[in-house]
């Protein structure tokens, strides 16, 4: 079973559709994506994406949705249960232990989350932690990322996929100097 994992779309879905199409062509077991997991910030985005792509979608609310109480879902898979949450109330900015405990308390072997806009794909204490990053506002110096998760009776497999690697960096914006650079370059004119 293949899961397309996204987070922090914030209402901007163009790259999501690009990545879905490309990753559907190259899924791990040669099968199409079976389900979309949207880890919050713009709960409605997950529903819109699922409807447009005609793929079942599971979404949770994030801090930008006004979520102030823990919102998570548990999804069954051939490899075991998967917890989906945004992560802001589990303190994922600081460490992943609270999220790991929540996953374990719910019998989950994997936990998908967002909030930090930085990708993670790592086993921590027996729980596979997956943060797809953000295709809209990445905070890791890339043009954005998402994750593909394959679940079989043998376990989980998959990884993080970067927009620039699949599309040749066509969306990369050149950095520009800001206020300080302007001061240095024009300081002799004051």
């Amino acid at each position: 079973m293949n899961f397309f994992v996204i987070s922090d779309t914030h209402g901007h879905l163009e790259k999501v559709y690009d990545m879905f199409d490309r990753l559907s062509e190259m899924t791990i077991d040669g099968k199409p994506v079976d389900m979309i997991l949207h880890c919050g910030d713009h709960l409605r985005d997950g529903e819109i994406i699922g409807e447009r792509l005609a793929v079942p979608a599971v979404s949770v609310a994030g801090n930008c949705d006004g979520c102030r109480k823990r919102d998570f879902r548990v999804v069954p898979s051939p490899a075991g249960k998967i917890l989906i949450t945004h992560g802001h109330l589990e303190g994922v900015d600081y460490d992943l232990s609270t999220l790991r405990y929540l996953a374990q308390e719910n019998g989950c072997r994997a936990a998908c989350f967002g909030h930090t806009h930085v990708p993670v794909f790592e086993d921590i204490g027996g729980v596979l932690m997956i943060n797809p990053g953000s295709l809209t506002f990445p905070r890791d110096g890339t043009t954005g990322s998402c994750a593909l998760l394959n679940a079989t009776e043998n376990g989980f497999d998959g990884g993080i996929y970067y927009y620039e690697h699949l599309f040749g960096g066509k969306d990369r914006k050149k950095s520009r100097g800001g206020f300080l650079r302007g001061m240095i370059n024009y300081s002799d004119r004051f």
Side-chain angles (χ1 to χ4, degrees):
M1 186 171 197
N2 291 311
F3 297 92
F4 179 58
V5 187
I6 53 177
S7 184
D8 298 287
T9 49
H10 295 273
H12 301 276
L13 306 179
E14 302 80 21
K15 286 183 178 180
V16 171
Y17 299 130
D18 288 347
M19 291 297 279
F20 180 87
D21 290 344
R22 187 65 55 93
L23 291 174
S24 291
E25 296 169 1
M26 53 185 272
T27 56
I28 296 164
D29 61 0
K31 296 179 183 173
V33 170
D34 300 296
M35 186 176 283
I36 297 164
L37 305 179
H38 190 288
C39 302
D41 271 356
H42 285 233
L43 173 69
R44 180 78 176 115
D45 287 357
E47 298 163 2
I48 292 168
I49 294 163
E51 289 169 10
R52 176 171 170 180
L53 298 174
V55 175
V58 176
S59 302
V60 294
N63 57 298
C64 290
D65 296 306
C67 180
R68 302 208 190 310
K69 62 178 185 159
R70 186 171 275 168
D71 182 23
F72 68 90
R73 304 284 183 278
V74 174
V75 174
S77 83
K81 295 178 190 175
I82 304 168
L83 179 106
I84 298 101
T85 189
H86 187 58
H88 63 295
L89 296 175
E90 290 78 27
V92 298
D93 289 16
Y94 307 104
D95 75 20
L96 300 178
S97 59
T98 301
L99 179 58
R100 180 171 54 94
Y101 297 142
L102 180 63
Q104 290 171 331
E105 288 169 1
N106 287 279
C108 297
R109 297 196 51 222
C112 297
F113 66 101
H115 188 60
T116 65
H117 297 223
V118 177
V120 172
F121 199 96
E122 179 181 0
D123 187 292
I124 298 177
V127 177
L128 179 60
M129 299 290 191
I130 303 146
N131 184 332
S134 173
L135 286 164
T136 304
F137 301 118
R139 294 180 184 155
D140 62 346
T142 69
T143 59
S145 60
C146 61
L148 192 62
L149 179 65
N150 177 255
T152 67
E153 294 78 18
N154 297 324
F156 291 109
D157 192 12
I160 302 295
Y161 291 85
Y162 293 90
Y163 191 85
E164 66 234 34
H165 294 157
L166 297 180
F167 293 94
K170 73 178 185 179
D171 190 56
R172 182 176 289 279
K173 295 179 181 174
K174 295 181 180 177
S175 60
R176 293 180 20 196
F179 178 72
L180 185 58
R181 179 181 170 116
M183 282 181 57
I184 293 169
N185 288 343
Y186 301 105
S187 61
D188 61 335
R189 295 185 184 166
F190 290 110

